[in-house]
Amino acid sequence: MISAPLTIINARLVLPSGDPVAGALRTEGDRIVALGPDVVPAPDDRVFDARGQLVTPGIVDLGVFAVDKPAFHFGGITRAALMPDQGPPLDHPARVRFAAQSGKPGLWVHPLAAATRALDGSEIAEIALMRDAGARAVSTGRAWIADSGTMLRLLRYCAMLDLVVVSHAEDSGITGQAVATASEMATRLGLPSAPAEAEALAVARDIALAELAGARLHLRQVTTAAGLDLVRAAKRRGVAVTAGVTPAHFMLSDTALAGFRTFLRLSPPLRSEADRKAVIAAIADGTIDVIASGHDPRGPEDKRLPFADAEPGMAGAETVLPMTLSLVRDGVIDLARAFRLLAATPATLLNVPAGVLAIDHAADLAVIDPDRPWIVDSDKMAASAGNTPFDRQPVQGRVTALFKGAAQVA
Amino acid sequence: MTAPSLPNTGRYPAGGAAFPHRDLLGLAGLAPHELLYLLDEAEPWVALNRQPHKRAEVLAGLTIINAFFENSTRTLLSFEIAGKRLGADVVNMHAATSSVKKGETLIDTALTLNAMRADAIVIRHASSGAVRLIADKVDCPVLNAGDGQHEHPTQGLLDALTIRSALRARGETGEPFAGLKVVICGDILHSRVARSNIHALTTLGAEVRVCAPPALMPAEIEQLKVTPFHDFDAALAGADVVMMLRLQLERMQGQFVPSPREYRHLYGLTLDRLARAAPGALVMHPGPMNRGIEIDSNVADHPAVSLITTQVEMGVAIRMACLDVLTRRARGVEGWA
């Protein structure tokens, strides 16, 4: 569908660095063609008046477990990297090709190819065929690959194919059946728990193997001070490692588990207050590169259970933006960096021309009122399930319009 | 809560304020006077249970459902006897299945029990927090008869009552728990009995030591105001009460402990070991015992030191007290309605 060029006027443009710039942004087709203070609409343009609101790149959500368009659009997400943990897993080119088409046109899904067949951690899947079917990176899924030999061969193969490997960093030998971090709270509640060091062990090994293989490694969630220290040190010596996190681990600590609320059953589990603060520090100093929603809507069948029997995961798509904006309000990061975390860096890792307001990049655009207050309500979510760990929490920041490839989708 | 006038001994507030909770899900967070209130309420039932005629009609007409999602013999029996001695209609539901993953059925079962208009529901479940989950869905009082590795509150109460009655029987007066040195030894990590005992005993002023090998010791246990030990002999020094826990046999086959005999070597309560405790130290075990592993028969059966059968006796009285107290609001008892 070719429609008239779109120009968004009266915008505060969030650029890759610096403060927002007052001006306009013009698109042709599905691309940005001009932006800045001097841009004006051409006579036949569709004009959208942002009325002084922020105009930002659409969020590129690195690591979601379901294609949940209403939730993504509510949250300002225009592209989502789909985890391979589907039923059946994304370990076959045909399934990858199907997944890559599943959200269009309003949402682009970038499948993450399963690293191993059936995600069982032993046999490497047909990664090159999946790449050519549309996979934008490779993922170990919800689990860590425990066998170091398999992980090394995987990283070498993906280095050759120039694909990032997205790993889940928890040593499964330590975590076992744990559903909480070993701590006073887990002890009080009698929940199966594992030491937080399970993460650092996995991070250390994966970094060492990535370094050996010359591969690009993205640790989807790094949630502990010890794990983040390892990432920080690896970056300093030039290893191609990046780290992500979801808002749960910078907003909440394991003291929140007191009521056995299964919406707080996450993987990795919530950590100590000291680790939560370490995550914020790592966002501030650049050790953490990506904030993702981890969107994993789960209905009562999976969540209305005793804590240890419930499935992990949270519906995060609607809250990733306001939670990240809370870091801006707290002075941890500026707006430009917020959108590097939410959009630019994920787009780079997925190698898609999106995630920044720049000429020739995709016209995936969010219009955001950063101060608009609202209350998270698990009963009234756009997501296919309301399993938010932030239920009843007052937040600020709301998407008021969303464009995918210059077409308005919300 | 401030009560202007206290008709009782003054240890706790009047009427329903003495125990202002609908359910008994755990002992964590209960005030000392709330624990003492339940212990005191059990005393008349101890006396009744020693009479030939053991029936009171306090709960006549009420229906109590014992919903056990995990196998149990003694706790179920104890609750059943307690309910029947109070005159209630007691129904036991065995829903224990090892292979079935209890999904929505758990909530469905709760709603079903609720629709049958039970007046109290006693629940045991293999998952921590499961009893609370059910309690949130039903309208009647819920008693936790053990949820996973979380709490077993009536066990904590009956153990406290057992200690108190043993010390009183000896002629000791005064606060029985103040400064009392209690050792809890065994699989602390997986034990709801240990947790409920820790909460009750530390709240009542006892000095609690917990003893286990590292693999069976929970993280940050000292935050629960106990002193952790790995060396049983050191933990026993000067102890007034030694509480042994059952170690599941499957945990003694290399995963947590190399073998039963090695466990006995380090943590078995023998007469020789018991000599390290204070003179007249009392021995307890929640049962069922692995005789010859965590406790030797000549200790368990020693009439001067072992309180193991007293624990069972006190269990019935405590459960009668809990059922009585928790149903008072529904029964419209004066001061509780």
Side-chain angles (χ1 to χ4, degrees):
Chain A
M1 178 184 72
I2 305 294
S3 53
L6 167 76
T7 298
I8 299 178
I9 59 169
N10 293 326
R12 284 193 294 139
L13 302 166
V14 176
L15 303 175
S17 61
D19 290 332
V21 171
L25 179 149
R26 187 163 187 275
T27 72
E28 279 178 17
D30 61 0
R31 301 276 146 170
I32 298 168
V33 294
L35 73 169
D38 308 323
V39 171
V40 290
D44 292 331
D45 281 5
R46 293 175 292 146
V47 175
F48 183 93
D49 187 348
R51 288 171 300 167
Q53 295 179 94
L54 297 177
V55 171
T56 75
I59 292 172
V60 181
D61 196 351
L62 184 46
V64 302
F65 291 88
V67 176
D68 190 355
K69 206 186 279 185
F72 292 149
H73 285 170
F74 183 103
I77 297 161
T78 44
R79 293 171 188 251
L82 182 65
M83 291 291 284
D85 311 74
Q86 306 296 313
L90 300 183
D91 64 353
H92 188 280
R95 289 200 279 270
V96 167
R97 185 171 290 114
F98 180 80
Q101 299 301 321
S102 59
K104 286 185 179 177
L107 170 77
W108 280 19
V109 174
H110 298 304
L112 301 178
T116 56
R117 281 181 219 273
L119 286 169
D120 68 1
S122 52
E123 295 168 30
I124 293 174
E126 295 171 320
I127 292 169
L129 289 173
M130 288 192 279
R131 177 192 65 179
D132 296 343
R136 304 304 312 195
V138 174
S139 167
T140 66
R142 292 182 192 276
W144 193 57
I145 292 180
D147 186 286
S148 301
T150 303
M151 187 64 175
L152 177 59
R153 287 190 292 278
L154 171 74
L155 285 161
R156 285 188 159 143
Y157 196 61
C158 292
M160 175 188 81
L161 298 174
D162 197 26
L163 289 171
V164 171
V165 174
V166 180
S167 178
H168 178 89
E170 276 190 295
D171 185 318
S172 48
I174 303 250
T175 53
Q177 300 300 308
V179 299
T181 306
S183 67
E184 178 188 351
M185 186 52 69
T187 291
R188 283 185 183 276
L189 297 178
L191 293 175
S193 65
E197 287 72 12
E199 179 178 281
L201 283 165
V203 168
R205 188 208 68 173
D206 284 357
I207 287 174
L209 294 178
E211 210 167 353
L212 182 60
R216 289 195 288 153
L217 173 69
H218 177 66
L219 301 159
R220 192 167 63 87
Q221 299 181 82
V222 185
T223 61
T224 63
L228 290 163
D229 282 345
L230 290 163
V231 172
R232 198 174 280 122
K235 286 184 167 187
R236 213 173 282 140
R237 58 175 195 274
V239 183
V241 60
T242 49
V245 77
T246 76
H249 287 98
F250 63 77
M251 299 298 295
L252 300 166
S253 65
D254 68 353
T255 54
L257 299 179
F260 289 105
R261 206 168 147 69
T262 57
F263 289 180
L264 296 158
R265 161 107 166 81
L266 305 173
S267 171
L270 290 175
R271 306 299 193 182
S272 69
E273 185 60 18
D275 282 332
R276 184 185 79 86
K277 287 180 175 150
V279 168
I280 292 175
I283 292 170
D285 75 9
T287 303
I288 286 177
D289 306 274
V290 171
I291 296 177
S293 76
H295 191 63
D296 194 1
R298 297 275 193 173
E301 308 77 24
D302 291 332
K303 285 293 190 184
R304 209 159 68 175
L305 292 169
F307 193 89
D309 302 338
E311 295 292 336
M314 64 171 174
E318 286 151 88
T319 48
V320 65
L321 174 68
M323 295 306 167
T324 304
L325 289 176
S326 77
L327 297 174
V328 176
R329 268 191 295 280
D330 292 346
V332 176
I333 50 174
D334 64 12
L335 263 178
R337 172 138 166 82
F339 283 88
R340 292 207 301 279
L341 288 155
L342 289 168
T345 306
T348 303
L349 294 173
L350 296 168
N351 195 25
V352 292
V356 288
L357 300 189
I359 289 168
D360 279 344
H361 277 63
D364 301 349
L365 307 165
V367 182
I368 294 171
D369 178 346
D371 301 317
R372 181 157 150 199
W374 57 288
I375 292 173
V376 182
D377 184 343
S378 69
D379 293 330
K380 295 179 188 164
M381 308 241 321
S384 59
N387 53 310
T388 171
F390 306 115
D391 197 20
R392 309 285 158 192
Q393 198 163 312
V395 295
Q396 277 179 275
R398 186 88 170 241
V399 173
T400 58
L402 189 66
F403 298 84
K404 174 74 195 79
Q408 188 163 359
V409 295
Chain B
M1 150 102 225
T2 53
S5 66
L6 301 176
N8 55 40
T9 60
R11 299 174 80 170
Y12 22 76
F19 196 80
H21 310 282
R22 190 196 73 164
D23 307 308
L24 182 66
L25 303 181
L27 301 183
L30 291 189
H33 72 80
E34 293 172 340
L35 295 169
L36 290 172
Y37 183 72
L38 294 175
L39 300 190
D40 289 352
E41 286 292 312
E43 298 284 5
W45 304 126
V46 175
L48 177 80
N49 290 338
R50 290 174 180 173
Q51 304 298 317
H53 181 86
K54 300 180 180 62
R55 194 168 163 105
E57 295 300 326
V58 178
L59 302 193
L62 269 59
T63 303
I64 295 168
I65 300 179
N66 294 321
F68 277 55
F69 296 88
E70 185 187 65
N71 284 321
S72 160
T73 306
R74 52 184 65 215
T75 305
L76 177 58
L77 201 56
S78 183
F79 269 107
E80 182 173 359
I81 290 171
K84 285 181 170 167
R85 286 192 181 161
L86 292 171
D89 296 315
V90 180
V91 185
N92 294 333
M93 194 197 76
H94 304 264
T97 44
S98 53
S99 56
V100 180
K101 176 111 175 170
K102 303 117 190 156
E104 189 70 326
T105 54
L106 179 60
I107 299 287
D108 284 344
T109 307
L111 296 176
T112 302
L113 299 179
N114 197 47
M116 290 174 178
R117 299 199 167 267
D119 298 291
I121 304 178
V122 179
I123 301 166
R124 166 166 288 192
H125 195 281
S127 289
S128 303
V131 177
R132 181 185 174 131
L133 184 69
I134 297 174
D136 288 343
K137 302 283 177 215
V138 302
D139 302 316
C140 69
V142 170
L143 275 89
N144 181 2
D147 64 324
Q149 299 158 15
H150 176 223
E151 284 232 42
H152 189 356
T154 56
Q155 180 76 41
L157 291 167
L158 76 88
D159 285 338
L161 184 63
T162 301
I163 293 169
R164 189 173 80 170
S165 59
L167 296 178
R168 283 184 179 169
R170 248 185 217 174
E172 295 182 21
T173 53
E175 290 296 327
F177 299 103
L180 189 76
K181 293 181 179 65
V182 182
V183 177
I184 306 175
C185 178
D187 185 357
I188 310 287
L189 178 66
H190 298 99
S191 178
R192 55 196 175 210
V193 173
R195 285 172 180 75
S196 286
N197 264 297
I198 288 169
H199 296 312
L201 293 168
T202 57
T203 302
L204 293 171
E207 177 192 319
V208 178
R209 307 166 181 177
V210 293
C211 182
L216 297 175
M217 187 72 89
E220 299 183 16
I221 188 75
E222 62 282 356
Q223 298 297 323
L224 274 60
K225 301 188 182 68
V226 300
T227 312
F229 286 80
H230 297 313
D231 179 345
F232 192 24
D233 291 339
L236 280 171
D240 301 303
V241 178
V242 185
M243 203 177 273
M244 301 304 294
L245 299 175
R246 175 183 173 80
L247 180 58
Q248 303 287 342
L249 283 169
E250 63 268 22
R251 297 195 173 122
M252 282 188 257
Q253 285 154 0
Q255 221 188 345
F256 291 90
V257 167
S259 67
R261 66 176 188 174
E262 182 147 322
Y263 184 75
R264 179 180 188 279
H265 179 64
L266 293 177
Y267 297 101
L269 186 61
T270 61
L271 275 180
D272 284 349
R273 274 222 169 92
L274 185 59
R276 296 171 182 273
L282 300 166
V283 173
M284 302 171 74
H285 192 299
M289 290 181 277
N290 295 307
R291 287 171 178 265
I293 301 176
E294 73 255 3
I295 189 164
D296 275 11
S297 283
N298 57 9
V299 178
D301 302 334
H302 198 303
V305 305
S306 174
L307 297 177
I308 294 168
T309 54
T310 313
Q311 289 173 272
V312 179
E313 184 190 8
M314 295 301 147
V316 176
I318 276 289
R319 286 162 186 139
M320 291 170 80
C322 292
L323 289 169
D324 171 23
V325 168
L326 291 180
T327 55
R328 282 183 193 165
R329 283 181 186 82
R331 288 186 286 125
V333 172
E334 196 185 342
W336 290 75

